[in-house]
Amino acid sequence: MQINEKNNGHLSITLKNEELDEKGIHIPLPEIIKSLRRFALIWLSFAVLAALLVSAGTAAFSHQLSSAPMALIGFNYSGAEKGLTPNGKKLDVNTIKNPAVIEAALTKLDYPLSNVDSIRNAISIDGIIPTDSADEISIYKYALEKNGNLQAAQSMLNVDYFPVKYKVTFDFSKTTFGDTEAAQVINAILECYRDYFFQQYGYSEAIGNASLAVDYSNYDYLVAVGAYTDTLIDLQEKVDTLKNNNFRSTQTGYSFDDLSNAINIAKSYDADALTAYILSNSVVSNKTGMISFYEYRINELERQKKSAQEHLKTIEESITNYKKDSIIVHGSSNDEPAAEYTTVSDKYDSLFRQKQSAQRDISYYSMKISENQARLDSVKKLSEKNSDAKHVEYVKERVGILNETVKQLVNDVNTTIMEYHDSVTFANAYSVLVPANVLSTSYISMLLGNIAKPLFIFEVLVFMIYVGASIIYGFVIDNRKRKALETNAAAYTTE
């Protein structure tokens, strides 16, 4: 403002507006703050509305208002700790997700089979480290942390283990099933897997069926009786390993003691007695052919025995040269001596089992060589004349009876063993230790958990719109005021 003094005694007042700084950026904070206050109620109203809409939408469209159900399954049989199935094959626990298993479960629950793929993707299976392996890893870890022992670190990485318990999780948010159906579906799948497991991996070895399928009518009677005798020996060995229990089959009515006695009688009074009768009465169709047969058998058995002996020698050398892993654990003080431990090794134990198996094979071949040599000697002593017709008829009749006896024993033994393994040996081979269930989390807490993320996103969006609108409106108000000042200043200047 300037005051100019005139000659006539009047004052002239001129208002001069300061020029704006064109080089700087003017931020109208007072107007922005006023805008924030002005729109606060509108923002609060939209924030509440967004919360209501998100909550209602989540409650209406979300079918997962509880945690994913989890179950615990376990395998308990010889070989499970080595990752094997009951019949010695490699165990693949992911066969729980086999389409055949899931289809069986869906059919049982009367659900459409179109859900198979989504269910497979929703199931996850995690192995639980066995206690022994976890302890072994802890020892190596302690040695590593205590002394920085690189050997301990390497040993820790080389710890082999196979879980026998698994956690099965069903993330049903990936499916069309709701809370009340989720646990029911996964439990049905785990139950159907029991049938699949026993069908695929359970005890199914049949004894003697292959040898009995051969028609021995075109063979010499001595060969036929020898084949039946071998079958009876196999049956005897299998049954004798199961005699020391009180099991009695509900299907055959026999215990293993009963079967062992029956097999022994069939071998001693049927097979062995018939063999003696054949040799004593020279009931042999082709003596020269029989001699060639037994000579070939002896040579073949000697070759197999030699191979088994070489195998045993290799195993014994491996055992001699094998060195178990060892770890050194130092004491907590300098005065305390270090302790050295050797670890349990499955590979080392496996070598001893292989050695025992090889020794059994050698003993078996030696026994068979002796038996065949005795038969060969007996055949060589037989008369060259043709056998009497009545002796031939008697042998033929007795071979037929022996055939029926052995077939019946094979069926009874196989049926009894199958029932024994199903009801005793593998009764707990696979089991659902903890059934799946929806965790006891309240409906409200799970609903809040589900809406937390979308609600946060919507509230941030509403808040950003509120702040952005307030800033823009603040600039608009400030611009209006500045233009009004410029207009007023221009009007005074004109006057």
Side-chain angles (χ1 to χ4, degrees):
M1 181 178 68
Q2 295 180 347
I3 301 177
N4 298 324
E5 192 172 330
K6 301 249 178 157
N7 294 331
N8 56 5
H10 294 281
L11 294 176
S12 175
I13 301 174
T14 303
L15 295 174
K16 186 177 180 180
N17 210 18
E18 295 291 336
E19 294 182 3
L20 294 174
D21 186 5
E22 298 294 339
K23 296 180 181 181
I25 298 177
H26 179 70
I27 300 177
L29 290 177
E31 283 73 15
I32 292 175
I33 294 174
K34 290 179 181 178
S35 298
L36 290 171
R37 293 174 179 173
R38 180 173 185 175
F39 298 135
L41 184 60
I42 298 175
W43 162 68
L44 184 61
S45 300
F46 275 97
V48 173
L49 180 62
L52 293 175
L53 291 176
V54 171
S55 300
T58 303
F61 297 103
S62 177
H63 65 281
Q64 185 174 359
L65 297 176
S66 60
S67 299
M70 293 183 295
L72 183 66
I73 62 173
F75 299 91
N76 182 23
Y77 52 86
S78 177
E81 69 283 355
K82 300 175 185 176
L84 302 176
T85 61
N87 60 0
K89 298 180 180 179
K90 183 179 179 181
L91 174 64
D92 182 9
V93 73
N94 285 305
T95 51
I96 289 176
K97 298 191 284 186
N98 189 294
V101 177
I102 298 176
E103 288 177 4
L106 292 175
T107 302
K108 182 178 180 181
L109 297 174
D110 198 24
Y111 289 142
L113 299 182
S114 58
N115 293 305
V116 170
D117 289 336
S118 62
I119 291 175
R120 292 188 68 193
N121 295 329
I123 297 175
S124 60
I125 306 170
D126 301 303
I128 299 175
I129 300 178
T131 304
D132 293 344
S133 298
D135 293 341
E136 186 177 355
I137 292 173
S138 298
I139 293 174
Y140 288 131
K141 185 178 180 182
Y142 173 79
L144 176 63
E145 294 175 349
K146 188 72 176 177
N147 307 303
N149 192 320
L150 295 179
Q151 182 182 356
Q154 185 63 40
S155 299
M156 183 167 60
L157 295 175
N158 291 336
V159 173
D160 293 330
Y161 69 87
F162 293 93
V164 293
K165 294 181 181 179
Y166 294 84
K167 181 179 70 174
V168 182
T169 306
F170 184 44
D171 183 10
F172 62 95
S173 63
K174 300 178 181 180
T175 70
T176 59
F177 297 107
D179 301 71
T180 57
E181 302 166 316
Q184 186 182 22
V185 169
I186 189 61
N187 282 330
I189 291 173
L190 296 180
E191 286 299 323
C192 290
Y193 181 68
R194 184 193 306 277
D195 297 333
Y196 178 87
F197 180 83
F198 287 112
Q199 181 182 358
Q200 296 293 321
Y201 308 123
Y203 186 87
S204 58
E205 179 185 357
I207 305 171
N209 287 350
S211 61
L212 295 180
V214 178
D215 182 9
Y216 291 106
S217 60
N218 295 325
Y219 290 79
D220 212 303
Y221 294 120
L222 198 58
V223 176
V225 175
Y228 291 128
T229 301
D230 289 341
T231 300
L232 290 172
I233 291 173
D234 291 340
L235 291 175
Q236 188 84 57
E237 290 178 352
K238 181 61 68 174
V239 168
D240 285 349
T241 60
L242 301 171
K243 281 201 308 183
N244 298 323
N245 60 70
N246 298 322
F247 177 78
R248 183 174 293 276
S249 171
T250 58
Q251 299 181 44
T252 64
Y254 294 129
S255 67
F256 290 114
D257 284 327
D258 298 335
L259 291 171
S260 180
N261 293 332
I263 294 169
N264 188 49
I265 292 172
K267 181 177 177 299
S268 301
Y269 294 97
D270 291 336
D272 291 348
L274 184 56
T275 299
Y277 186 88
I278 292 173
L279 294 174
S280 62
N281 293 281
S282 300
V283 187
V284 175
S285 301
N286 185 353
K287 178 181 177 180
T288 304
M290 291 298 298
I291 291 175
S292 300
F293 170 78
Y294 282 116
E295 287 177 345
Y296 170 79
R297 285 284 294 155
I298 291 171
N299 291 333
E300 184 68 15
L301 289 168
E302 286 178 344
R303 185 190 64 78
Q304 292 174 341
K305 179 181 177 181
K306 184 178 179 180
S307 176
Q309 288 172 334
E310 292 294 329
H311 182 53
L312 176 61
K313 183 179 178 181
T314 302
I315 295 172
E316 289 175 338
E317 291 176 354
S318 298
I319 293 174
T320 302
N321 298 328
Y322 189 88
K323 184 178 179 181
K324 285 189 176 183
D325 293 336
S326 61
I327 59 174
I328 299 176
V329 180
H330 294 273
S332 57
S333 64
N334 294 330
D335 297 333
E336 186 176 348
E340 183 174 355
Y341 301 92
T342 58
T343 60
V344 176
S345 173
D346 288 337
K347 294 180 180 178
Y348 190 70
D349 295 339
S350 175
L351 288 174
F352 273 98
R353 288 192 293 270
Q354 292 178 38
K355 178 182 177 180
Q356 293 173 348
S357 178
Q359 288 173 334
R360 285 194 298 268
D361 290 342
I362 293 173
S363 299
Y364 172 78
Y365 293 134
S366 298
M367 178 191 69
K368 298 303 291 182
I369 289 172
S370 297
E371 289 181 356
N372 282 271
Q373 185 63 54
R375 294 283 179 88
L376 176 60
D377 295 339
S378 299
V379 170
K380 287 180 178 180
K381 297 177 183 178
L382 293 179
S383 172
E384 295 289 346
K385 64 179 182 179
N386 293 331
S387 303
D388 191 286
K390 66 176 183 179
H391 295 314
V392 174
E393 189 63 28
Y394 174 80
V395 170
K396 184 176 180 181
E397 179 184 352
R398 297 303 300 177
V399 168
I401 295 174
L402 179 60
N403 176 61
E404 295 300 321
T405 301
V406 173
K407 283 184 176 180
Q408 185 61 49
L409 284 172
V410 166
N411 290 332
D412 290 340
V413 168
N414 285 330
T415 300
T416 304
I417 289 178
M418 289 290 289
E419 183 181 346
Y420 172 75
H421 284 305
D422 287 343
S423 59
V424 179
T425 306
F426 300 139
N428 297 316
Y430 164 78
S431 58
V432 180
L433 303 176
V434 180
N437 57 74
V438 177
L439 298 182
S440 57
T441 307
S442 67
Y443 180 88
I444 298 299
S445 62
M446 285 305 304
L447 179 61
L448 292 176
N450 284 352
I451 70 173
K453 184 176 180 179
L455 180 60
F456 175 77
I457 294 174
F458 271 91
E459 291 296 346
V460 169
L461 181 61
V462 171
F463 181 76
M464 291 178 63
I465 293 174
Y466 158 63
V467 173
S470 299
I471 292 174
I472 294 173
Y473 190 74
F475 273 98
V476 170
I477 296 300
D478 179 72
N479 188 50
R480 288 177 182 176
K481 288 183 178 180
R482 293 165 68 84
K483 286 183 177 181
L485 289 176
E486 290 176 0
T487 301
N488 292 336
Y492 280 115
T493 302
T494 303
E495 293 179 2

mmCIF file of all heavy atoms in Angstrom, residues 315-349:
data_model
loop_
_atom_site.group_PDB
_atom_site.id
_atom_site.type_symbol
_atom_site.label_atom_id
_atom_site.label_comp_id
_atom_site.label_asym_id
_atom_site.label_seq_id
_atom_site.Cartn_x
_atom_site.Cartn_y
_atom_site.Cartn_z
ATOM 1 N N ILE A 315 29.675 -110.685 -0.069
ATOM 2 C CA ILE A 315 29.010 -110.057 1.079
ATOM 3 C C ILE A 315 29.938 -110.035 2.292
ATOM 4 O O ILE A 315 30.037 -109.022 3.007
ATOM 5 C CB ILE A 315 27.703 -110.804 1.408
ATOM 6 C CG1 ILE A 315 26.698 -110.658 0.270
ATOM 7 C CG2 ILE A 315 27.092 -110.271 2.711
ATOM 8 C CD1 ILE A 315 25.459 -111.511 0.426
ATOM 9 N N GLU A 316 30.637 -111.142 2.535
ATOM 10 C CA GLU A 316 31.549 -111.206 3.676
ATOM 11 C C GLU A 316 32.679 -110.191 3.536
ATOM 12 O O GLU A 316 33.106 -109.578 4.522
ATOM 13 C CB GLU A 316 32.111 -112.621 3.810
ATOM 14 C CG GLU A 316 31.073 -113.637 4.284
ATOM 15 C CD GLU A 316 31.614 -115.059 4.306
ATOM 16 O OE1 GLU A 316 32.611 -115.313 3.586
ATOM 17 O OE2 GLU A 316 31.046 -115.904 5.027
ATOM 18 N N GLU A 317 33.181 -110.000 2.326
ATOM 19 C CA GLU A 317 34.209 -108.987 2.093
ATOM 20 C C GLU A 317 33.668 -107.583 2.347
ATOM 21 O O GLU A 317 34.359 -106.726 2.911
ATOM 22 C CB GLU A 317 34.738 -109.095 0.662
ATOM 23 C CG GLU A 317 35.557 -110.347 0.409
ATOM 24 C CD GLU A 317 35.982 -110.471 -1.050
ATOM 25 O OE1 GLU A 317 35.525 -109.632 -1.864
ATOM 26 O OE2 GLU A 317 36.761 -111.394 -1.368
ATOM 27 N N SER A 318 32.439 -107.358 1.952
ATOM 28 C CA SER A 318 31.816 -106.044 2.187
ATOM 29 C C SER A 318 31.659 -105.788 3.677
ATOM 30 O O SER A 318 31.877 -104.664 4.159
ATOM 31 C CB SER A 318 30.458 -105.972 1.490
ATOM 32 O OG SER A 318 30.594 -106.119 0.089
ATOM 33 N N ILE A 319 31.284 -106.818 4.434
ATOM 34 C CA ILE A 319 31.132 -106.670 5.880
ATOM 35 C C ILE A 319 32.479 -106.378 6.531
ATOM 36 O O ILE A 319 32.595 -105.528 7.421
ATOM 37 C CB ILE A 319 30.498 -107.936 6.488
ATOM 38 C CG1 ILE A 319 29.050 -108.085 6.013
ATOM 39 C CG2 ILE A 319 30.555 -107.898 8.019
ATOM 40 C CD1 ILE A 319 28.387 -109.367 6.451
ATOM 41 N N THR A 320 33.517 -107.069 6.074
ATOM 42 C CA THR A 320 34.854 -106.874 6.644
ATOM 43 C C THR A 320 35.365 -105.462 6.383
ATOM 44 O O THR A 320 35.985 -104.826 7.253
ATOM 45 C CB THR A 320 35.835 -107.896 6.047
ATOM 46 O OG1 THR A 320 35.362 -109.219 6.301
ATOM 47 C CG2 THR A 320 37.223 -107.725 6.658
ATOM 48 N N ASN A 321 35.097 -104.942 5.191
ATOM 49 C CA ASN A 321 35.623 -103.630 4.812
ATOM 50 C C ASN A 321 34.703 -102.480 5.181
ATOM 51 O O ASN A 321 35.084 -101.316 5.007
ATOM 52 C CB ASN A 321 35.878 -103.590 3.295
ATOM 53 C CG ASN A 321 36.916 -104.604 2.867
ATOM 54 O OD1 ASN A 321 37.840 -104.907 3.612
ATOM 55 N ND2 ASN A 321 36.762 -105.139 1.656
ATOM 56 N N TYR A 322 33.522 -102.811 5.673
ATOM 57 C CA TYR A 322 32.560 -101.743 5.969
ATOM 58 C C TYR A 322 32.955 -101.022 7.244
ATOM 59 O O TYR A 322 33.359 -101.636 8.231
ATOM 60 C CB TYR A 322 31.150 -102.305 6.120
ATOM 61 C CG TYR A 322 30.084 -101.246 6.215
ATOM 62 C CD1 TYR A 322 29.494 -100.734 5.075
ATOM 63 C CD2 TYR A 322 29.677 -100.747 7.446
ATOM 64 C CE1 TYR A 322 28.510 -99.755 5.144
ATOM 65 C CE2 TYR A 322 28.709 -99.762 7.532
ATOM 66 C CZ TYR A 322 28.121 -99.281 6.375
ATOM 67 O OH TYR A 322 27.163 -98.302 6.463
ATOM 68 N N LYS A 323 32.843 -99.707 7.226
ATOM 69 C CA LYS A 323 33.156 -98.897 8.395
ATOM 70 C C LYS A 323 31.949 -98.056 8.740
ATOM 71 O O LYS A 323 31.460 -97.279 7.922
ATOM 72 C CB LYS A 323 34.365 -97.992 8.126
ATOM 73 C CG LYS A 323 34.801 -97.186 9.348
ATOM 74 C CD LYS A 323 36.024 -96.344 9.024
ATOM 75 C CE LYS A 323 36.450 -95.527 10.251
ATOM 76 N NZ LYS A 323 37.631 -94.683 9.951
ATOM 77 N N LYS A 324 31.486 -98.215 9.954
ATOM 78 C CA LYS A 324 30.316 -97.436 10.382
ATOM 79 C C LYS A 324 30.689 -95.969 10.543
ATOM 80 O O LYS A 324 31.838 -95.624 10.838
ATOM 81 C CB LYS A 324 29.774 -97.962 11.708
ATOM 82 C CG LYS A 324 29.009 -99.265 11.606
ATOM 83 C CD LYS A 324 28.349 -99.572 12.931
ATOM 84 C CE LYS A 324 27.477 -100.819 12.843
ATOM 85 N NZ LYS A 324 26.778 -101.084 14.109
ATOM 86 N N ASP A 325 29.693 -95.104 10.376
ATOM 87 C CA ASP A 325 29.885 -93.682 10.650
ATOM 88 C C ASP A 325 30.118 -93.490 12.137
ATOM 89 O O ASP A 325 29.502 -94.151 12.977
ATOM 90 C CB ASP A 325 28.652 -92.875 10.216
ATOM 91 C CG ASP A 325 28.492 -92.886 8.709
ATOM 92 O OD1 ASP A 325 29.505 -93.089 8.023
ATOM 93 O OD2 ASP A 325 27.359 -92.698 8.241
ATOM 94 N N SER A 326 31.005 -92.583 12.463
ATOM 95 C CA SER A 326 31.258 -92.272 13.870
ATOM 96 C C SER A 326 31.259 -90.772 14.068
ATOM 97 O O SER A 326 31.600 -90.007 13.158
ATOM 98 C CB SER A 326 32.599 -92.864 14.316
ATOM 99 O OG SER A 326 33.659 -92.307 13.558
ATOM 100 N N ILE A 327 30.892 -90.337 15.254
ATOM 101 C CA ILE A 327 30.909 -88.925 15.591
ATOM 102 C C ILE A 327 31.651 -88.747 16.903
ATOM 103 O O ILE A 327 31.634 -89.630 17.766
ATOM 104 C CB ILE A 327 29.485 -88.329 15.700
ATOM 105 C CG1 ILE A 327 28.685 -89.065 16.771
ATOM 106 C CG2 ILE A 327 28.773 -88.362 14.381
ATOM 107 C CD1 ILE A 327 27.332 -88.437 17.042
ATOM 108 N N ILE A 328 32.302 -87.630 17.029
ATOM 109 C CA ILE A 328 33.043 -87.311 18.252
ATOM 110 C C ILE A 328 32.352 -86.144 18.915
ATOM 111 O O ILE A 328 32.205 -85.067 18.311
ATOM 112 C CB ILE A 328 34.509 -86.974 17.941
ATOM 113 C CG1 ILE A 328 35.201 -88.181 17.286
ATOM 114 C CG2 ILE A 328 35.239 -86.565 19.208
ATOM 115 C CD1 ILE A 328 36.622 -87.901 16.849
ATOM 116 N N VAL A 329 31.930 -86.332 20.151
ATOM 117 C CA VAL A 329 31.275 -85.290 20.924
ATOM 118 C C VAL A 329 32.234 -84.851 22.016
ATOM 119 O O VAL A 329 32.587 -85.640 22.900
ATOM 120 C CB VAL A 329 29.950 -85.791 21.540
ATOM 121 C CG1 VAL A 329 29.302 -84.688 22.342
ATOM 122 C CG2 VAL A 329 29.021 -86.282 20.447
ATOM 123 N N HIS A 330 32.688 -83.605 21.942
ATOM 124 C CA HIS A 330 33.636 -83.088 22.915
ATOM 125 C C HIS A 330 32.910 -82.674 24.185
ATOM 126 O O HIS A 330 31.744 -82.267 24.164
ATOM 127 C CB HIS A 330 34.401 -81.899 22.334
ATOM 128 C CG HIS A 330 35.300 -82.273 21.195
ATOM 129 N ND1 HIS A 330 36.587 -82.714 21.379
ATOM 130 C CD2 HIS A 330 35.070 -82.301 19.850
ATOM 131 C CE1 HIS A 330 37.137 -82.974 20.204
ATOM 132 N NE2 HIS A 330 36.233 -82.729 19.249
ATOM 133 N N GLY A 331 33.610 -82.754 25.292
ATOM 134 C CA GLY A 331 33.033 -82.363 26.568
ATOM 135 C C GLY A 331 32.843 -80.875 26.669
ATOM 136 O O GLY A 331 33.379 -80.095 25.884
ATOM 137 N N SER A 332 32.071 -80.481 27.668
ATOM 138 C CA SER A 332 31.793 -79.052 27.858
ATOM 139 C C SER A 332 32.986 -78.309 28.425
ATOM 140 O O SER A 332 33.039 -77.091 28.408
ATOM 141 C CB SER A 332 30.577 -78.882 28.777
ATOM 142 O OG SER A 332 30.819 -79.532 30.017
ATOM 143 N N SER A 333 33.977 -79.036 28.956
ATOM 144 C CA SER A 333 35.173 -78.406 29.507
ATOM 145 C C SER A 333 36.403 -79.098 28.946
ATOM 146 O O SER A 333 36.332 -80.189 28.379
ATOM 147 C CB SER A 333 35.172 -78.484 31.036
ATOM 148 O OG SER A 333 35.225 -79.832 31.458
ATOM 149 N N ASN A 334 37.542 -78.467 29.128
ATOM 150 C CA ASN A 334 38.784 -79.031 28.605
ATOM 151 C C ASN A 334 39.188 -80.312 29.309
ATOM 152 O O ASN A 334 39.902 -81.146 28.762
ATOM 153 C CB ASN A 334 39.909 -78.005 28.714
ATOM 154 C CG ASN A 334 39.669 -76.801 27.820
ATOM 155 O OD1 ASN A 334 39.035 -76.932 26.773
ATOM 156 N ND2 ASN A 334 40.164 -75.639 28.224
ATOM 157 N N ASP A 335 38.766 -80.445 30.581
ATOM 158 C CA ASP A 335 39.133 -81.625 31.361
ATOM 159 C C ASP A 335 38.296 -82.846 31.009
ATOM 160 O O ASP A 335 38.670 -83.976 31.322
ATOM 161 C CB ASP A 335 38.992 -81.325 32.863
ATOM 162 C CG ASP A 335 39.951 -80.219 33.305
ATOM 163 O OD1 ASP A 335 41.011 -80.071 32.649
ATOM 164 O OD2 ASP A 335 39.634 -79.512 34.273
ATOM 165 N N GLU A 336 37.140 -82.610 30.419
ATOM 166 C CA GLU A 336 36.239 -83.719 30.099
ATOM 167 C C GLU A 336 36.638 -84.333 28.773
ATOM 168 O O GLU A 336 36.736 -83.635 27.755
ATOM 169 C CB GLU A 336 34.800 -83.211 30.016
ATOM 170 C CG GLU A 336 33.786 -84.330 29.840
ATOM 171 C CD GLU A 336 32.373 -83.779 29.851
ATOM 172 O OE1 GLU A 336 32.196 -82.611 30.204
ATOM 173 O OE2 GLU A 336 31.464 -84.548 29.494
ATOM 174 N N PRO A 337 36.936 -85.636 28.738
ATOM 175 C CA PRO A 337 37.402 -86.268 27.491
ATOM 176 C C PRO A 337 36.292 -86.327 26.447
ATOM 177 O O PRO A 337 35.108 -86.356 26.766
ATOM 178 C CB PRO A 337 37.810 -87.673 27.951
ATOM 179 C CG PRO A 337 36.958 -87.929 29.153
ATOM 180 C CD PRO A 337 36.801 -86.598 29.841
ATOM 181 N N ALA A 338 36.727 -86.363 25.194
ATOM 182 C CA ALA A 338 35.762 -86.486 24.099
ATOM 183 C C ALA A 338 35.286 -87.924 23.996
ATOM 184 O O ALA A 338 36.017 -88.864 24.299
ATOM 185 C CB ALA A 338 36.411 -86.046 22.787
ATOM 186 N N ALA A 339 34.058 -88.079 23.587
ATOM 187 C CA ALA A 339 33.461 -89.415 23.448
ATOM 188 C C ALA A 339 33.180 -89.679 21.979
ATOM 189 O O ALA A 339 32.687 -88.811 21.254
ATOM 190 C CB ALA A 339 32.186 -89.511 24.256
ATOM 191 N N GLU A 340 33.509 -90.902 21.538
ATOM 192 C CA GLU A 340 33.281 -91.283 20.144
ATOM 193 C C GLU A 340 32.187 -92.337 20.080
ATOM 194 O O GLU A 340 32.194 -93.307 20.838
ATOM 195 C CB GLU A 340 34.555 -91.842 19.521
ATOM 196 C CG GLU A 340 34.394 -92.184 18.036
ATOM 197 C CD GLU A 340 35.697 -92.592 17.385
ATOM 198 O OE1 GLU A 340 36.747 -92.506 18.069
ATOM 199 O OE2 GLU A 340 35.667 -92.984 16.220
ATOM 200 N N TYR A 341 31.226 -92.130 19.200
ATOM 201 C CA TYR A 341 30.098 -93.037 19.071
ATOM 202 C C TYR A 341 30.012 -93.519 17.630
ATOM 203 O O TYR A 341 30.270 -92.769 16.680
ATOM 204 C CB TYR A 341 28.779 -92.341 19.441
ATOM 205 C CG TYR A 341 28.734 -91.792 20.846
ATOM 206 C CD1 TYR A 341 29.121 -90.479 21.102
ATOM 207 C CD2 TYR A 341 28.307 -92.586 21.900
ATOM 208 C CE1 TYR A 341 29.080 -89.970 22.388
ATOM 209 C CE2 TYR A 341 28.253 -92.083 23.188
ATOM 210 C CZ TYR A 341 28.648 -90.779 23.428
ATOM 211 O OH TYR A 341 28.604 -90.288 24.708
ATOM 212 N N THR A 342 29.636 -94.773 17.475
ATOM 213 C CA THR A 342 29.319 -95.291 16.141
ATOM 214 C C THR A 342 27.809 -95.302 15.990
ATOM 215 O O THR A 342 27.087 -95.608 16.937
ATOM 216 C CB THR A 342 29.861 -96.717 15.946
ATOM 217 O OG1 THR A 342 29.320 -97.559 16.954
ATOM 218 C CG2 THR A 342 31.378 -96.719 16.007
ATOM 219 N N THR A 343 27.356 -94.950 14.815
ATOM 220 C CA THR A 343 25.923 -94.827 14.595
ATOM 221 C C THR A 343 25.342 -96.127 14.053
ATOM 222 O O THR A 343 26.031 -96.920 13.410
ATOM 223 C CB THR A 343 25.628 -93.698 13.591
ATOM 224 O OG1 THR A 343 26.269 -94.020 12.361
ATOM 225 C CG2 THR A 343 26.161 -92.375 14.102
ATOM 226 N N VAL A 344 24.063 -96.325 14.309
ATOM 227 C CA VAL A 344 23.361 -97.485 13.768
ATOM 228 C C VAL A 344 23.225 -97.318 12.255
ATOM 229 O O VAL A 344 22.870 -96.246 11.773
ATOM 230 C CB VAL A 344 21.969 -97.627 14.417
ATOM 231 C CG1 VAL A 344 21.213 -98.775 13.775
ATOM 232 C CG2 VAL A 344 22.115 -97.838 15.917
ATOM 233 N N SER A 345 23.544 -98.364 11.511
ATOM 234 C CA SER A 345 23.521 -98.278 10.050
ATOM 235 C C SER A 345 22.609 -99.355 9.487
ATOM 236 O O SER A 345 22.834 -100.543 9.709
ATOM 237 C CB SER A 345 24.934 -98.430 9.482
ATOM 238 O OG SER A 345 24.883 -98.510 8.078
ATOM 239 N N ASP A 346 21.601 -98.941 8.752
ATOM 240 C CA ASP A 346 20.707 -99.897 8.088
ATOM 241 C C ASP A 346 21.456 -100.670 7.012
ATOM 242 O O ASP A 346 21.166 -101.847 6.761
ATOM 243 C CB ASP A 346 19.517 -99.147 7.480
ATOM 244 C CG ASP A 346 18.563 -98.649 8.543
ATOM 245 O OD1 ASP A 346 18.564 -99.217 9.652
ATOM 246 O OD2 ASP A 346 17.814 -97.690 8.273
ATOM 247 N N LYS A 347 22.412 -100.012 6.355
ATOM 248 C CA LYS A 347 23.172 -100.691 5.309
ATOM 249 C C LYS A 347 24.007 -101.826 5.906
ATOM 250 O O LYS A 347 24.127 -102.899 5.310
ATOM 251 C CB LYS A 347 24.073 -99.683 4.594
ATOM 252 C CG LYS A 347 23.310 -98.626 3.808
ATOM 253 C CD LYS A 347 24.255 -97.657 3.121
ATOM 254 C CE LYS A 347 23.472 -96.596 2.344
ATOM 255 N NZ LYS A 347 24.376 -95.622 1.706
ATOM 256 N N TYR A 348 24.595 -101.570 7.072
ATOM 257 C CA TYR A 348 25.411 -102.595 7.728
ATOM 258 C C TYR A 348 24.534 -103.776 8.143
ATOM 259 O O TYR A 348 24.905 -104.938 7.948
ATOM 260 C CB TYR A 348 26.095 -101.974 8.943
ATOM 261 C CG TYR A 348 27.165 -102.850 9.575
ATOM 262 C CD1 TYR A 348 28.369 -103.096 8.918
ATOM 263 C CD2 TYR A 348 26.981 -103.406 10.827
ATOM 264 C CE1 TYR A 348 29.358 -103.877 9.487
ATOM 265 C CE2 TYR A 348 27.958 -104.199 11.411
ATOM 266 C CZ TYR A 348 29.145 -104.425 10.738
ATOM 267 O OH TYR A 348 30.112 -105.206 11.307
ATOM 268 N N ASP A 349 23.378 -103.487 8.712
ATOM 269 C CA ASP A 349 22.454 -104.560 9.098
ATOM 270 C C ASP A 349 21.954 -105.318 7.878
ATOM 271 O O ASP A 349 21.747 -106.535 7.920
ATOM 272 C CB ASP A 349 21.273 -103.978 9.873
ATOM 273 C CG ASP A 349 21.705 -103.362 11.194
ATOM 274 O OD1 ASP A 349 22.788 -103.730 11.683
ATOM 275 O OD2 ASP A 349 20.967 -102.517 11.724
#
